[in-house]
């Protein structure tokens, strides 16, 4: 009797046929998100806070902007739980996208009502956040060991689609806002979000769909607490074992290995919030700074709008991704330097901090009443973008590959939660400035110098700690290829002859 081929028996080097739908969906969704974000800072100041002093109006706008980011990047934890435990990634992405579209149209309808507008922002934050961890983890789910060597390249193209969508919207939406007003400027991203939903739905028959694993009492928290109780209660010492060995006796070696992997990843992620804290300012503080710059490019008399400056971030990313992947990284490897993910992240943090040195020096000129050229901010964007390639792309892949199969979405959500922490700190600082609190004196250049000091402090600690962090890769597709139990010891297995597709 002829055996049915298992999921791992695929031609080597073949890109999964679901990838074009995922990348097309991500392009349209990122267009909608960044198109809306591109004008948010300027719109809030102009529409709702123009009666306040400039510093207070900017701080209030920045506070709403960063609070929105905080919600967007905290809610992936909710989306991951819904996907991993109850519904699976596909359903969460589809339903979340439909709600996401409604949020965009609320922004268009309530452009003169702060409470109505903020309601739209909250809906977008929860729906965009809910699908965020699932979308990037869904990319990794499409691969197995026969084509895993293509994963890094596809993640780069996935990130490429993010920035292609954002670049187009960052250039277009400010023009729409300038010429036709806020209703159209927020409405067009809603149309693109509807298109993103349609593209994703169109690929429904080609996705590898890992089923939800159900609620499991033997989860990350309970196993970790048990290991801690063994250590603190003396049970491990009495048995002549480590706390983790004690946990292995109860939960099994494979389960505990996965929990240890999560803690290793979280040790790296502890340093990431400072990157996102600085990066998130390019759509808020940097935009408002650009209003005080000479926006003439000196090329054919071109002059850009303040909200359009962010376009260069996407442009540099589109340029740097292939340059880094096919030029810089191979060159560094040929020079005998091993490029580990941790080294990329560490150097990326340093580069990001250096971009803020330029912004702080630029702000000193603005504080002195000068109007320096926008080209200085463009230079800072170029450096910030290099840091983003090193930290964000590496971290996104690291979140997937270094976590066990049963926690892929959850681990990706924790990666995004580091963004939420960084944005939350920004919101706290801006709220303090607007309310005359402890950070009230950190305005102008001193605001940016504060974050330069924080970033370089984190870099120093990372350099000291990172050599002690171990790495181990996992692939969720091993579940499909080997018929492994992804429901954590007590529920049904996937039979290799009947993969979930």
């Amino acid at each position: 009797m002829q055996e049915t081929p298992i999921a791992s028996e695929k031609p080597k080097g073949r890109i999964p046929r679901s990838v074009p739908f995922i990348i097309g969906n991500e392009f349209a969704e990122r267009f909608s998100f960044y198109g809306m974000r591109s004008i948010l800072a300027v719109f809030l100041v102009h529409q709702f806070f123009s009666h306040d002093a400039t510093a207070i109006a900017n701080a209030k706008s920045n506070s709403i902007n960063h609070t929105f980011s905080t919600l967007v990047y905290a809610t992936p934890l909710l989306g991951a739980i819904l996907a991993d435990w109850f519904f699976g990634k596909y359903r969460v992405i589809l339903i979340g996208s439909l709600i996401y579209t409604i949020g965009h149209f609320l922004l268009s309808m309530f452009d003169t009502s702060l409470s109505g507008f903020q309601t739209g922002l909250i809906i977008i934050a929860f729906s965009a956040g809910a699908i965020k961890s699932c979308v990037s983890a869904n990319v990794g789910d499409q691969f197995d060991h026969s084509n895993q060597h293509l994963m890094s390249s596809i993640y780069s193209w996935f990130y490429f689609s993010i920035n292609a969508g954002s670049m187009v919207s960052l250039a277009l939406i400010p023009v729409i806002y300038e010429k036709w007003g806020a209703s159209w400027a927020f409405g067009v991203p809603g149309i693109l979000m509807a298109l993103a939903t349609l593209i994703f739905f169109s690929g429904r028959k080609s996705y590898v769909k890992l089923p939800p694993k159900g609620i499991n009492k033997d989860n990350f928290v309970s196993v970790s607490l048990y290991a801690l109780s063994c250590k603190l209660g003396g049970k491990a010492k009495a048995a002549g074992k480590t706390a983790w060995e004690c946990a292995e006796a109860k939960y099994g070696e494979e389960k505990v290995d996965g929990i240890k992997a999560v803690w290793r990843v979280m040790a790296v992620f502890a340093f990431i919030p400072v990157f996102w804290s600085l990066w998130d300012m390019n759509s808020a503080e940097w935009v408002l700074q650009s209003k005080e710059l000479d926006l003439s490019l000196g090329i054919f008399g071109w002059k850009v709008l303040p909200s359009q400056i962010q376009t260069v971030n996407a442009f540099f990313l589109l340029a740097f991704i292939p340059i880094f992947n096919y030029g810089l990284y191979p060159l560094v490897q040929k020079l005998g330097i091993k490029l580990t993910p941790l080294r990329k992240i560490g150097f990326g943090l340093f580069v990001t901090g250096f971009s803020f040195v330029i912004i702080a020096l630029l702000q000193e000129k603005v504080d002195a009443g000068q109007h320096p050229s926008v080209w200085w901010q463009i230079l800072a964007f170029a450096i910030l973008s290099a840091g983003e390639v090193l930290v964000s792309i590496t971290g996104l892949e690291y979140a997937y590959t270094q976590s066990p199969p049963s926690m892929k979405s959850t681990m990706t959500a924790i990666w995004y939660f580091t963004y939420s922490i960084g944005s939350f700190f920004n919101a706290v600082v801006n709220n303090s400035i607007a309310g005359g609190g402890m950070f009230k004196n950190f305005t102008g250049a001193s605001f940016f110098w504060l974050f330069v000091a924080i970033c370089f402090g984190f870099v120093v600690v990372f350099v000291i700690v990172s050599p002690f962090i171990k790495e181990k890769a996992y692939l969720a597709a091993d579940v499909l290829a080997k018929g492994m139990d992804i429901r954590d010891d007590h529920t049904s297995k996937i039979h290799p002859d009947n993969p979930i597709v």
Side-chain angles (χ1 to χ4, degrees):
M1 180 177 177
Q2 186 177 2
E3 290 187 12
T4 304
I6 64 174
S8 62
E9 294 176 348
K10 296 179 180 178
K12 282 194 172 184
R14 176 175 294 178
I15 295 173
R17 59 194 179 100
S18 56
V19 166
F21 293 101
I22 294 173
I23 290 179
N25 163 262
E26 192 66 7
F27 173 90
E29 187 272 329
R30 290 292 86 184
F31 180 106
S32 72
F33 183 84
Y34 283 107
M36 177 273 295
R37 283 296 301 272
S38 69
I39 60 172
L40 187 58
V42 172
F43 168 77
L44 288 171
V45 170
H46 177 265
Q47 187 70 23
F48 302 117
F49 306 124
S50 58
H51 57 279
D52 292 312
T54 300
I56 300 301
N58 288 353
K60 287 181 177 179
S61 171
N62 292 334
S63 177
I64 292 176
N65 219 319
H66 293 308
T67 300
F68 171 73
S69 293
T70 299
L71 286 174
V72 168
Y73 292 96
T75 47
L77 285 171
L78 172 63
I81 290 172
L82 292 174
D84 284 349
W85 289 8
F86 302 108
F87 306 112
K89 300 181 189 73
Y90 173 77
R91 289 182 180 177
V92 170
I93 294 171
L94 182 61
I95 296 172
S97 296
L98 291 170
I99 299 172
Y100 194 163
T101 303
I102 294 171
H104 271 293
F105 286 118
L106 286 178
L107 297 187
S108 178
M109 293 168 58
F110 293 102
D111 61 306
T112 58
S113 168
L114 182 58
S115 59
F117 189 84
Q118 286 179 311
T119 300
L121 287 177
I122 291 171
I123 290 174
I124 290 175
F126 274 90
S127 54
I131 71 173
K132 189 170 290 293
S133 60
C134 301
V135 170
S136 57
N138 191 42
V139 176
D141 284 352
Q142 309 308 306
F143 292 84
D144 58 25
H145 275 294
S146 73
N147 57 8
Q148 72 175 58
H149 61 287
L150 295 171
M151 185 184 292
S152 181
S153 176
I154 294 302
Y155 262 110
S156 291
W157 284 111
F158 175 74
Y159 210 79
F160 187 95
S161 70
I162 291 175
N163 292 286
S166 66
M167 185 177 71
V168 175
S169 65
L170 288 170
L172 180 62
I173 298 303
V175 175
I176 294 176
Y177 176 59
E178 189 78 6
K179 294 189 177 224
W180 292 289
S183 292
W184 276 103
F186 289 115
V188 171
I191 295 171
L192 265 293
M193 190 58 227
L195 177 62
T197 306
L198 180 61
I199 293 172
F200 180 76
F201 181 72
S202 298
R204 62 192 180 279
K205 295 182 179 179
S206 62
Y207 301 125
V208 173
K209 302 172 186 174
L210 294 187
K213 61 183 176 60
I215 300 175
N216 179 20
K217 295 181 180 179
D218 298 339
N219 55 40
F220 170 76
V221 175
S222 61
V223 175
S224 297
L225 288 176
Y226 180 78
L228 182 63
S229 67
C230 287
K231 183 175 181 63
L232 298 180
K235 184 176 180 179
K237 186 176 181 180
K241 300 179 179 179
T242 66
W244 287 120
E245 288 172 342
C246 191
E248 286 175 0
K250 180 176 181 179
Y251 296 102
E253 184 177 349
E254 184 176 348
K255 164 74 73 175
V256 175
D257 179 65
I259 302 301
K260 289 162 68 177
V262 174
W263 281 111
R264 289 195 297 269
V265 173
M266 290 177 67
V268 176
F269 285 4
F271 295 90
I272 304 300
V274 69
F275 166 77
W276 291 122
S277 176
L278 273 63
W279 189 91
D280 198 46
M281 292 185 199
N282 82 78
S283 63
E285 283 84 352
W286 288 29
V287 171
L288 296 178
Q289 182 192 68
S290 68
K291 293 170 64 178
E292 306 301 324
L293 303 179
D294 177 2
L295 297 175
S296 175
L297 296 177
I299 304 173
F300 305 117
W302 287 348
K303 188 174 183 179
V304 296
L305 298 170
S307 298
Q308 287 180 309
I309 301 300
Q310 305 160 77
T311 308
V312 300
N313 174 236
F315 173 81
F316 285 127
L317 283 169
L318 292 176
F320 288 167
I321 288 171
I323 290 173
F324 275 59
N325 276 287
Y326 304 116
L328 183 61
Y329 291 160
L331 176 62
V332 172
Q333 297 275 21
K334 286 181 180 179
L335 294 175
I337 301 174
K338 186 177 180 181
L339 273 179
T340 66
L342 296 182
R343 287 179 178 177
K344 290 180 184 178
I345 290 172
F347 188 63
L349 290 175
F350 175 82
V351 169
T352 301
F354 185 68
S355 73
F356 264 69
V357 172
I358 296 174
I359 291 296
L361 293 172
L362 189 58
Q363 188 63 41
E364 288 185 353
K365 300 286 187 182
V366 172
D367 293 345
Q370 301 177 33
H371 300 282
S373 172
V374 70
W375 281 105
W376 288 107
Q377 197 179 82
I378 291 174
L379 174 61
F381 264 112
I383 298 172
L384 179 71
S385 300
E388 185 175 355
V389 172
L390 289 163
V391 176
S392 187
I393 294 180
T394 305
L396 192 63
E397 183 180 346
Y398 191 87
Y400 184 87
T401 61
Q402 298 295 311
S403 57
S406 62
M407 292 193 67
K408 296 295 186 184
S409 290
T410 303
M411 205 58 246
T412 307
I414 294 174
W415 160 256
Y416 285 122
F417 190 66
T418 63
Y419 193 138
S420 182
I421 296 171
S423 296
F424 179 73
F425 180 70
N426 292 351
V428 168
V429 173
N430 278 286
N431 273 327
S432 178
I433 293 171
M438 65 179 293
F439 290 103
K440 64 181 179 181
N441 295 322
F442 288 95
T443 58
S446 63
F447 176 88
F448 295 114
W449 284 120
L450 169 67
F451 284 87
V452 169
I454 292 172
C455 184
F456 286 143
F458 268 75
V459 170
V460 171
V461 177
F462 185 83
V463 169
I464 296 172
V465 171
S466 60
F468 299 97
I469 300 174
K470 297 180 180 179
E471 298 177 85
K472 179 181 178 180
Y474 301 80
L475 281 176
D478 290 342
V479 175
L480 297 177
K482 298 180 180 179
M484 292 168 58
D485 184 357
I486 67 169
R487 297 186 179 228
D488 298 324
D489 306 330
H490 64 280
T491 53
S492 61
K493 295 182 180 182
I494 300 174
H495 193 278
D497 293 345
N498 186 29
I500 306 299
V501 179

